[in-house]
Amino acid sequence: MESIEKACCVVTVSKSKLSNHRPISCSGLILNYQSGVALCSGLLFSRYVNDQTPLSADCSFLLPDSFSDNLKICVNFSAQRNLDTNQCAHEVYTAPSSTATHQHQVTAQLLMLVNCLEFKKRLSQIFREADKWSFYGGLEDEESHRESQFLSWFAVLKIPSLSGASHTGTIPWIKSSFLQKGCTVMACGSPFGSLCPDLFMSTLSKGIVSNLAGEDNTVILTDARCLPGTEGGGLFVTQGNRSYVVGVIVSPLCWKASEWIGLTLVCSFQELLKNIRWCVNIQDPMCDTSLDCETAVFLDLPITPTSATQNYPMVTLVDSGQFWGSGVLVSAQLVLTCRHVVNAKSVVTVKFYDRDRFHDVLGDVLFSTKSSSPYDVAVIQLRDLYHEADNSRLATSFCPGENVVVVGFGALGQACGPSLTSGILSKAVSWGSQPVMLQTTCAVQAGSSGGAVVSAHSGELLGLVSSNTRDFAAKVTYPHLNFSVPMSVIQPLLERFNQTGDADVFTALDSTEEGVRRVWRLQGGQSKL
């Protein structure tokens, strides 16, 4: 992971003269040590834009004269030097050669701020204002409006001296157009920015690509967990012993209607580099700046951990009019979802996402559990066969600790296809000898209800997502603690239905033992959760 860590740095911006604003910092990427070119989030500079500088929607770049005078930009990065001996006093033991990491701080110049217009366009399409999206950017609350305008902006910096660094070469990168949902990725940044860089700089977080949108996958969402201060850091994919940057972290924390969704927003490095090069070509002051990053492209991207996403069960969007959620196709014409998703409707619209578009099929709600049942389940029969459909493989056993993926339409809904989030099966709760509840560490958001919990290894359907967790007293949602109905509860009923065609077989879900109700008691109105 050394190639990832050596590319990351911390950028701090302040005014060299007395100012009411405290210094603000974030992560960054050093693109080329020889030319001293680095990249970071443009949000750091948004508070310093001159009042007279117009900021139109299609503005593509801003030069240094658009910002306040006397800006001070500092860059912290790590460098290594070899230590040949142990030089402690009165110590006769000679230690083997080792490597020590040292923190360096240098000043930098702002070359320009670049607006990634394709990223900006896709953001407005996906994250609609009506859905009340908000993103962390490191600025104060009163500057949040200005901050939202700068989500698509990135700062290109020039570091005159990197002589303290032992690193050479240019950061290798890969085209984001080759990414697929489920690809394993590594995020690298410095939590809390300039706070204790010796402790936090170049911290790694592993996850998968949760969703993609835009031309050449300009917008990337990952479930790699990032903290404030990592904006401007890099998203990497690894092949063999080498890592390649594929994106730049835009916002480590995202909220939808005040619900934390547990995903990190990333901009394609490919698209950003294209915008930078365009700006360089039309600006004389930049003509001597080297941005010729090494093109390193490979086709066989790893899918977390061994299965391709096309082997996962087909997940649909279920629209009941006032409410929508997810559903899982379990046979040619049967879709499982949640009771609260169908919302007491007798007919719903089932939307299949294929080749970047939705295909609608009407479905009749054959069965829905009673509100008194601990199992939040509904069964839908499609009026027409969907020609791309394959039957899901249902799991009969569960192994806590195994890698799992949740597939559902949480967070983004109809803006694009289903999202994937990774984690482990953290607990299988049993009553008697029968598993009656599954818990995972995958990020689950509103809209994921009725989605699939899938074994990452085999692709088998383990469970049906029922809910995540919300502390109503603290008004906090926990996406990484969620509950699902095990397929071993539903599978015998599906087999009987296939034999008899009688939907009444599912009424067994209503007449459960008291012990099962106790397991699911947190769903009740008396619960804090």
Side-chain angles (χ1 to χ4, degrees):
M1 297 301 167
E2 181 183 346
S3 60
I4 295 179
E5 296 171 2
K6 76 177 185 180
C8 293
C9 62
V10 174
V11 179
T12 304
V13 179
S14 62
K15 292 198 71 171
S16 55
K17 292 185 177 180
L18 185 64
S19 171
N20 293 328
H21 292 300
R22 59 177 176 79
I24 187 169
S25 60
C26 73
S27 301
L29 286 172
I30 298 176
L31 305 186
N32 187 294
Y33 272 86
Q34 279 71 44
S35 63
V37 177
L39 191 68
C40 74
S41 169
L43 285 169
L44 269 65
F45 297 86
S46 63
R47 62 166 54 158
Y48 300 114
V49 177
N50 292 328
D51 294 336
Q52 64 269 27
T53 300
L55 193 62
S56 60
D58 59 349
C59 180
S60 57
F61 62 89
L62 293 172
L63 295 177
D65 59 8
S66 298
F67 299 89
S68 304
D69 296 332
N70 304 314
L71 279 187
K72 182 179 180 181
I73 306 171
C74 294
V75 177
N76 288 75
F77 65 96
S78 298
Q80 295 178 339
R81 66 181 179 86
N82 291 327
L83 300 177
D84 295 328
T85 60
N86 188 323
Q87 300 180 6
C88 294
H90 309 293
E91 181 65 71
V92 297
Y93 169 69
T94 300
S97 296
S98 61
T99 302
T101 299
H102 294 266
Q103 300 293 321
H104 293 263
Q105 185 180 87
V106 294
T107 58
Q109 302 168 327
L110 175 64
L111 295 179
M112 65 164 51
L113 250 65
V114 175
N115 191 5
C116 192
L117 294 175
E118 172 65 15
F119 182 75
K120 179 183 179 69
K121 174 184 174 183
R122 295 301 174 182
L123 279 185
S124 62
Q125 293 174 346
I126 298 170
F127 303 102
R128 296 173 296 185
E129 188 175 345
D131 292 329
K132 300 179 180 179
W133 283 94
S134 58
F135 303 91
Y136 177 85
L139 302 185
E140 304 297 335
D141 291 341
E142 62 269 17
E143 297 175 293
S144 59
H145 175 69
R146 187 74 159 176
E147 170 188 319
S148 64
Q149 292 181 293
F150 273 84
L151 280 175
S152 58
W153 288 83
F154 300 85
V156 183
L157 308 176
K158 174 77 171 182
I159 307 172
S161 174
L162 286 177
S163 58
S166 60
H167 312 311
T168 58
T170 302
I171 188 171
W173 62 282
I174 184 172
K175 293 181 178 180
S176 56
S177 53
F178 292 142
L179 283 179
Q180 301 175 46
K181 293 179 187 179
C183 293
T184 301
V185 290
M186 194 79 72
C188 184
S190 300
F192 319 116
S194 58
L195 176 67
C196 301
D198 57 320
L199 301 181
F200 298 125
M201 186 181 290
S202 302
T203 297
L204 302 177
S205 179
K206 188 176 182 180
I208 64 172
V209 173
S210 296
N211 218 322
L212 299 161
E215 182 180 352
D216 294 327
N217 297 327
T218 297
V219 177
I220 305 167
L221 281 169
T222 175
D223 64 356
R225 301 186 193 181
C226 297
L227 293 173
T230 57
E231 57 276 8
L235 188 72
F236 296 81
V237 293
T238 300
Q239 178 80 345
N241 59 358
R242 196 170 192 191
S243 299
Y244 307 80
V245 66
V246 72
V248 179
I249 298 170
V250 173
S251 179
L253 301 174
C254 310
W255 294 267
K256 183 179 182 181
S258 301
E259 178 187 346
W260 176 44
I261 67 168
L263 299 178
T264 297
L265 178 64
V266 179
C267 176
S268 157
F269 184 79
Q270 172 187 354
E271 187 65 26
L272 179 54
L273 195 61
K274 183 173 71 174
N275 280 260
I276 294 174
R277 283 172 169 164
W278 181 83
C279 294
V280 166
N281 289 336
I282 64 173
Q283 290 299 314
D284 289 341
M286 293 282 290
C287 64
D288 61 345
T289 299
S290 173
L291 285 169
D292 294 327
C293 293
E294 173 188 351
T295 303
V297 176
F298 56 90
L299 298 178
D300 297 324
L301 293 174
I303 302 297
T304 302
T306 57
S307 297
T309 55
Q310 55 263 34
N311 291 333
Y312 292 161
M314 179 167 285
V315 173
T316 70
L317 189 146
V318 178
D319 187 351
S320 61
Q322 183 179 0
F323 296 100
W324 59 266
S326 304
V328 185
L329 191 75
V330 292
S331 67
Q333 282 187 278
L334 280 189
V335 172
L336 292 180
T337 186
C338 290
R339 172 186 63 232
H340 72 268
V341 172
V342 300
N343 192 31
K345 296 294 193 300
S346 59
V347 179
V348 295
T349 302
V350 179
K351 298 174 177 286
F352 292 86
Y353 189 81
D354 184 39
R355 298 177 180 88
D356 298 327
R357 58 177 295 185
F358 281 99
H359 305 268
D360 293 358
V361 179
L362 287 179
D364 297 301
V365 180
L366 293 183
F367 173 80
S368 181
T369 54
K370 296 177 181 179
S371 58
S372 59
S373 172
Y375 294 128
D376 188 351
V377 175
V379 182
I380 302 169
Q381 186 169 51
L382 302 177
R383 293 184 179 180
D384 299 300
L385 290 173
Y386 183 64
H387 67 281
E388 299 289 342
D390 290 320
N391 291 355
S392 299
R393 292 173 294 125
L394 310 184
T396 56
S397 61
F398 310 98
C399 181
E402 72 171 306
N403 292 318
V404 296
V405 174
V406 165
V407 188
F409 284 85
L412 299 184
Q414 299 187 47
C416 48
S419 297
L420 278 63
T421 55
S422 60
I424 65 168
L425 181 63
S426 53
K427 193 174 183 65
V429 183
S430 298
W431 173 250
S433 59
Q434 172 75 46
V436 295
M437 173 194 280
L438 303 180
Q439 298 175 20
T440 83
T441 61
C442 303
V444 166
Q445 313 89 17
S448 297
S449 297
V453 180
V454 183
S455 167
H457 175 68
S458 67
E460 290 181 319
L461 178 61
L462 300 179
L464 188 74
V465 176
S466 178
S467 68
N468 58 16
T469 307
R470 180 170 177 80
D471 187 329
F472 287 104
K475 298 182 180 179
V476 175
T477 300
Y478 304 103
H480 299 99
L481 175 58
N482 45 80
F483 309 103
S484 303
V485 179
M487 288 312 301
S488 57
V489 171
I490 307 173
Q491 183 178 19
L493 306 179
L494 289 172
E495 292 176 352
R496 287 170 57 190
F497 175 77
N498 291 333
Q499 295 169 358
T500 65
D502 184 3
D504 287 342
V505 300
F506 296 109
T507 58
L509 295 171
D510 289 328
S511 32
T512 56
E513 298 180 57
E514 182 59 30
V516 178
R517 296 178 185 275
R518 283 192 54 79
V519 169
W520 285 93
R521 66 188 179 277
L522 291 180
Q523 291 188 121
Q526 302 294 322
S527 172
K528 180 184 175 185
L529 299 180

